[in-house]
Amino acid sequence: GDETKSRLNVATLDTKMSNLQVYLNSCIKGLVGSLVIFCCYAALMAQVVGTDDGFGDFAVRFCKYWIILYQIVPISLYVCFEIVKLFLGAQINLDKQMVDPDTGLNAIARTADLVEELGQVQHVFSDKTGTITQNEMRFARCCIDGQDLGEFRPPSASANGESTKTVAHSETEGVMAARRILKDKSNKLCEETQRF
């Protein structure tokens, strides 16, 4: 029935459209609406001034005015809009500044709407999958029973010119403080540090 888990999990999804596409659609709707109003007005005035009577004559005149004035609705704007999006997507694919230094691969624009959405980003949400951090999370500081043990991260590689791998093996302030506490069994922080 409708109350089963599989039926309740089925959600109706809205079509994803860019803001620019929404604005373009609303402009086109406004132009079509104004075209209908103007054609009705022109057909009605031609009916009042003209010699023929009847609804059939009104419909024919409406269609005539529609055919004469339909150019105010820019259908080619959609075509130009899509061509520009494809061109800008190709620019992203060929951008030398968007090359991954590890793999040497260029960025790939897999959707045409990507280009126009880039300038409209308001919020960035991030998960902890390592996309941004490249899974290189480092333990920074530790405070045990109110005492700060100090910095656990190695000094930055750029500060002393060494590579990150060689710096990572050096003893930091936090590591030395933790070892000192663990060696002294009489220290009240020894038990807490072992739990840590």
Side-chain angles (χ1 to χ4, degrees), residues 3 7 23 42 65 79 93 115 131 139 148-149 157 159 181 187 193:
E3 298 298 320
R7 291 286 288 183
Y23 296 144
Y65 283 114
V79 177
N93 293 344
V115 178
T131 308
F139 184 73
D148 185 12
L149 298 184
I181 291 171
N187 192 334
T193 306

Side-chain angles (χ1 to χ4, degrees), residues 87-95 98 106-109 114-115 118:
F87 175 73
L88 292 175
Q91 291 290 350
I92 289 175
N93 293 344
L94 299 174
D95 191 356
M98 295 184 74
N106 288 358
I108 299 173
L114 172 71
V115 178
L118 285 177

Side-chain angles (χ1 to χ4, degrees), residues 6-119:
S6 61
R7 291 286 288 183
L8 291 174
N9 286 337
V10 175
T12 57
L13 299 174
D14 294 334
T15 318
K16 291 185 178 179
M17 292 174 52
S18 66
N19 293 337
L20 196 56
Q21 188 75 37
V22 171
Y23 296 144
L24 182 64
N25 288 346
S26 63
C27 288
I28 296 296
K29 287 175 188 173
L31 287 172
V32 169
S34 63
L35 178 63
V36 168
I37 290 170
F38 186 79
C39 287
C40 285
Y41 175 76
L44 185 65
M45 289 294 112
Q47 189 79 14
V48 169
V49 174
T51 57
D52 297 333
D53 291 329
F55 178 74
D57 193 37
F58 175 80
V60 169
R61 286 184 175 159
F62 178 84
C63 291
K64 284 181 182 178
Y65 283 114
W66 183 273
I67 291 170
I68 292 170
L69 300 172
Y70 79 93
Q71 289 92 356
I72 69 165
V73 179
I75 300 301
S76 62
L77 181 63
Y78 279 107
V79 177
C80 293
F81 190 63
E82 292 300 321
I83 290 172
V84 167
K85 288 196 294 188
L86 288 174
F87 175 73
L88 292 175
Q91 291 290 350
I92 289 175
N93 293 344
L94 299 174
D95 191 356
K96 301 279 189 225
Q97 294 180 342
M98 295 184 74
V99 175
D100 184 14
D102 295 334
T103 63
L105 296 175
N106 288 358
I108 299 173
R110 291 192 174 98
T111 177
D113 290 335
L114 172 71
V115 178
E116 63 197 57
E117 290 296 322
L118 285 177

Side-chain angles (χ1 to χ4, degrees), residues 118-131:
L118 285 177
Q120 302 173 18
V121 175
Q122 295 178 352
H123 304 285
V124 176
F125 296 99
S126 173
D127 58 1
K128 296 294 182 180
T129 59
T131 308

